[in-house]
Amino acid sequence: MMSIRPTLPLQTDQLRRFASRLAAEWPHVRAPFDLVQNMNEIETQAGLPDTAGYRYARKIGNQLHVSGQVPTDTLGDIIGKTNPFRQAQQCLANLELILKCYDFEVNDIQHLTIYVVGDRTSLTNAWQAVL
């Protein structure tokens, strides 16, 4: 049995090769992500930066599964590099934009996990953006 473990981030050509190997090895299994060039077309049209090999969200039935967010603006630049509050605000703004792309609202969120790197003050500042 062949082991397939991608090294992330994958470039588009690497992603295609990985998808071909995955399809050949397990033709009955559908990949958990769309292996297409414009996998985030809805989100990029809404103003989020393009992400190669990374899907923002996937709607399955009446549920939306959203990937982790980072504090980037439309151009992909990091916002608030030394400001946890501003970073959290940007992540939440990006999350809200993704929700709108799929006709969901903030009140539809059932679970939210926040990871903060830094000391307790950084954690407190980040949580202030959520509350």
Side-chain angles (χ1 to χ4, degrees):
M1 180 167 144
M2 182 170 81
S3 174
I4 299 177
R5 182 172 294 178
T7 302
L8 297 177
L10 294 174
Q11 299 303 318
T12 303
D13 59 325
Q14 292 174 307
L15 196 57
R16 286 189 186 118
R17 285 195 304 271
F18 173 70
S20 295
R21 289 177 57 200
L22 182 65
E25 191 69 24
W26 296 291
H28 60 286
V29 177
R30 185 166 181 259
F33 46 87
D34 294 333
L35 300 171
V36 295
Q37 191 168 9
N38 296 324
M39 68 170 54
N40 290 317
E41 189 171 354
I42 294 169
E43 293 89 344
T44 54
Q45 287 178 357
L48 290 168
D50 190 24
T51 57
Y54 179 84
R55 186 176 188 109
Y56 281 110
R58 180 166 186 160
K59 186 175 180 180
I60 301 173
N62 66 350
Q63 296 182 351
L64 184 66
H65 300 267
V66 181
S67 299
Q69 299 304 302
V70 293
T72 54
D73 63 11
T74 303
L75 301 174
D77 295 326
I78 295 178
I79 301 298
K81 290 182 182 179
T82 60
N83 185 336
F85 177 80
R86 186 65 192 104
Q87 289 179 19
Q89 280 184 318
Q90 186 65 42
C91 288
L92 293 170
N94 291 349
L95 174 60
E96 190 169 351
L97 186 56
I98 291 167
L99 293 172
K100 288 179 184 177
C101 287
Y102 293 93
D103 297 322
F104 285 85
E105 298 176 6
V106 172
N107 291 338
D108 294 321
I109 296 174
Q110 298 297 308
H111 182 86
L112 179 65
T113 302
I114 297 176
Y115 294 101
V116 177
V117 176
D119 57 15
R120 187 166 187 80
T121 302
S122 296
L123 177 62
T124 302
N125 289 339
W127 269 107
Q128 291 301 314
V130 176
L131 306 173

